[in-house]
Amino acid sequence: MGVRRRQRVELTVVNPVGIFGPVLGSDLATSVQIVKELLNGRPPLLPHASFAVVDVRDLADLHVMALEDPRAIGERFLAAAGQPVSFPETAATLRSQLGAAARRVPRRTAPDWLVRAGARFVPALRELAGLLGEPKRISATKATDVLGWQPRPVADTLVDTARSLLDGGLVGR
């Protein structure tokens, strides 16, 4: 009977924030639903809630980099493109970049107190209420410094997401 050797498990963790970017079909990720809903004119009032973004294409690149670079072994990397963006900022980006295609994107904002009050009765507002206030500061510096990862700008990702939804006929459903 031979001697069994233990193989060392090498683990690297990539933690993505909200994953956006071009869609491949009608089965949409929860984060992509944010852009779809904005293009459909919902919610009618924009909360001052913020969310972080990473492009699915950049996330795939980071996974490959982490697999190929031995410096990634045993490390954790946050996959995020910059700081979180708010619903009003996202809506403004879509309107400015998409023109008439973004005609239904809401313009008016909701005061925080209204979102918090509504969250008591409307389940969909509960999660948004938790995202109100000053956005949490995040950093993907480790991924950029160690692996050389360079994510695309958040605005580009959000617009590419919207264009793919529009091109795929997924808006208005």
Side-chain angles (χ1 to χ4, degrees):
M1 183 145 98
V3 176
R4 271 185 137 184
R5 291 187 185 184
R6 283 193 161 188
Q7 291 185 338
R8 185 171 153 226
V9 175
E10 296 175 345
L11 176 70
T12 300
V13 177
V14 174
N15 292 327
V17 293
I19 304 170
F20 293 80
V23 300
L24 298 176
S26 60
D27 186 16
L28 304 178
T30 303
S31 52
V32 172
Q33 292 281 355
I34 293 171
V35 175
K36 179 183 176 185
E37 291 301 309
L38 288 173
L39 291 170
N40 284 325
R42 294 186 294 267
L45 298 175
L46 299 166
H48 291 281
S50 299
F51 52 92
V53 173
V54 67
D55 193 293
V56 65
R57 298 164 291 187
D58 296 332
L59 180 58
D61 288 344
L62 181 56
H63 276 98
V64 171
M65 291 174 163
L67 282 169
E68 293 177 342
D69 193 324
R71 294 175 298 171
I73 296 170
E75 299 293 339
R76 292 184 301 185
F77 298 95
L78 178 66
Q83 294 305 310
V85 293
S86 69
F87 276 80
E89 290 169 323
T90 300
T93 296
L94 295 176
R95 284 193 308 272
S96 73
Q97 298 295 313
L98 298 174
R103 66 188 171 283
R104 294 192 291 177
V105 172
R107 295 178 178 274
R108 299 183 319 170
T109 59
D112 290 356
W113 67 265
L114 182 61
V115 176
R116 285 189 181 101
R120 298 170 131 183
F121 309 102
V122 181
L125 292 178
R126 286 190 192 124
E127 188 173 339
L128 287 177
L131 300 174
L132 294 171
E134 194 66 32
K136 293 175 177 53
R137 306 305 293 170
I138 59 174
S139 175
T141 302
K142 190 178 198 181
T144 59
D145 289 353
V146 174
L147 300 176
W149 183 63
Q150 293 298 315
R152 68 197 77 220
V154 170
D156 292 354
T157 296
L158 294 171
V159 170
D160 288 351
T161 303
R163 284 194 176 120
S164 75
L165 291 166
L166 292 163
D167 292 347
L170 299 170
V171 175
R173 299 201 225 171

